[in-house]
Amino acid sequence: MYVVSVINYKGGVGKTTVTANLGAELANRGMKVLLIDLDPQASLTFGFYDPDDWRERLRDSRTVKRWYDGLREGSPSVTLGELVVSPGPANARLTGAGRLDLIASHLQLVDIDLALARSVAGGEEYDAELFRVRGSLAEGLLADGLDPYDMVLIDCPPNFNVVTQSAIIASDHLVIPARADYLSTLGIDYLHGNVRELVEQYNADARRFATVRRHQKVAPGVAGVVFTMVQLLSQQPIATHQSYMDQVRNLGLPVFPTALRENVTLYATNTPRGVPVVLRDRVTVPAVRDELRRLATEFLDHLQPDRQPQRSEGPA
């Protein structure tokens, strides 16, 4: 099972779009995929469920907030597996044996992040408690009751708070969506540095606080930066965007060859509701869907460099 966090400090860079469509495309290729929405804005959740449906079916008992609520008391009252739901419209569009599941977010998840931070803010056991909270999601994903998945994709909030840190520690890889602009370029280097520091500190703390003798070393790597909302001229990024894309490559971080073009109308529409662009039969700009499929192939090539090439079974 691969665990991948989709993350950027900056909001509005297409994190949710990348998470939803990457997960849907991998499921369409036969993989069992679990999406986890850790962003209090819950955009990923509302991409699959109408807000009224969320309030009636999920809000009170089947969101990741319930799991983190229990974590504050020392041990979650439910397993992550008990929170999993399967979005019907998206799964109905899958052509093979794959599956796309979701653990929904909650608008009050931001309060949980603050509460978790307060719970480790003082006292003699500060370091041990912080280590426990940071490693909680990794432990939860290994617990009984969670079906075996080929891929877990985590849509992270645009911050570096405790919940985000728990996602990073649980991850094998990071995907960083970014716009080709000054703030995104600046933030990527800063994010990468903070991830390195977090991982180094967590691994050092593991030698002091891990309850198992041979605690597995945490070492998430950057699978790649994916540029989004790119403006094209003659099918190439405009000069300004290309300049910022080159700056990120010069940082030494991997960058996915496929960039996602700007298309506000197509990505914003909820018709058909609950179905990511990559699974739709008809789209006004087929090239957008093709880019998402190429990105999925490049992503798998990074994770599984020796795998045989595989093509999406979706509509051409």
Side-chain angles (χ1 to χ4, degrees):
M1 179 176 75
Y2 295 99
V3 181
V4 180
S5 280
V6 184
I7 185 171
N8 194 315
Y9 280 152
K10 192 173 183 294
V13 297
K15 285 190 302 87
T16 298
T17 295
V18 169
T19 305
N21 284 280
L22 183 57
E25 175 62 13
L26 296 179
N28 204 41
R29 299 186 188 194
M31 299 179 73
K32 294 180 180 178
V33 180
L34 174 65
L35 307 179
I36 302 179
D37 189 356
L38 293 186
D39 193 334
Q41 297 181 66
S43 297
L44 180 64
T45 299
F46 294 143
F48 290 100
Y49 287 90
D50 180 273
D52 289 336
D53 194 19
W54 173 82
R55 279 190 289 269
E56 292 174 6
R57 297 178 50 202
L58 306 180
R59 180 182 62 181
D60 295 333
S61 60
R62 300 196 75 175
T63 76
V64 75
K65 175 182 176 294
R66 185 181 175 197
W67 187 82
Y68 278 107
D69 272 331
L71 187 65
R72 288 188 299 162
E73 306 301 325
S75 179
S77 58
V78 294
T79 66
L80 290 173
E82 293 176 79
L83 304 176
V84 172
V85 293
S86 296
N91 279 281
R93 296 295 183 101
L94 301 182
T95 57
R99 190 173 80 240
L100 185 65
D101 290 342
L102 171 72
I103 297 180
S105 187
H106 196 290
L107 303 179
Q108 293 179 351
L109 188 59
V110 64
D111 300 328
I112 296 299
D113 210 333
L114 294 173
L116 287 172
R118 285 196 298 269
S119 73
V120 299
E124 296 180 358
E125 302 300 323
Y126 170 84
D127 289 343
E129 180 65 9
L130 183 58
F131 172 77
R132 181 185 74 87
V133 172
R134 283 172 167 171
S136 60
L137 189 59
E139 185 176 343
L141 287 171
L142 295 175
D144 293 339
L146 191 67
D147 286 341
Y149 288 96
D150 302 304
M151 184 74 60
V152 177
L153 295 173
I154 306 173
D155 189 10
C156 295
N159 59 45
F160 206 72
N161 292 340
V162 179
V163 168
T164 305
Q165 291 175 22
S166 72
I168 293 170
I169 294 302
S171 296
D172 304 300
H173 304 273
L174 308 177
V175 170
I176 306 176
R179 299 185 67 167
D181 59 25
Y182 174 73
L183 290 178
S184 288
T185 304
L186 180 68
I188 289 171
D189 195 29
Y190 187 54
L191 170 64
H192 189 229
N194 279 354
V195 168
R196 284 199 310 267
E197 292 180 7
L198 169 66
V199 169
E200 290 172 2
Q201 184 61 58
Y202 183 82
N203 286 325
D205 287 343
R207 293 192 287 270
R208 302 166 57 196
F209 305 120
T211 56
V212 294
R213 180 167 295 182
R214 294 185 178 180
H215 184 80
Q216 184 174 358
K217 185 177 181 180
V218 170
V222 177
V225 176
V226 53
F227 282 102
T228 63
M229 308 177 197
V230 174
Q231 296 178 21
L232 303 181
L233 181 63
S234 299
Q235 299 304 308
Q236 296 295 322
I238 61 174
T240 302
H241 284 184
Q242 187 63 60
S243 174
Y244 285 117
M245 293 163 71
D246 291 341
Q247 287 183 35
V248 172
R249 290 187 175 93
N250 291 337
L251 294 174
L253 293 174
V255 176
F256 290 110
T258 295
L260 305 180
R261 71 185 66 199
E262 185 176 46
N263 195 298
V264 177
T265 302
L266 183 56
Y267 284 126
T269 182
N270 284 324
T271 304
R273 174 171 290 281
V275 179
V277 172
V278 75
L279 294 181
R280 297 178 190 173
D281 294 331
R282 298 177 182 177
V283 293
T284 55
V285 185
V288 172
R289 187 178 58 198
D290 295 341
E291 288 167 356
L292 292 164
R293 291 177 176 169
R294 287 201 303 271
L295 175 64
T297 297
E298 293 162 6
F299 173 72
L300 287 177
D301 286 344
H302 176 87
L303 269 57
Q304 306 169 349
D306 298 326
R307 75 184 186 91
Q308 293 297 314
Q310 186 177 8
R311 189 169 53 86
S312 169
E313 298 178 5

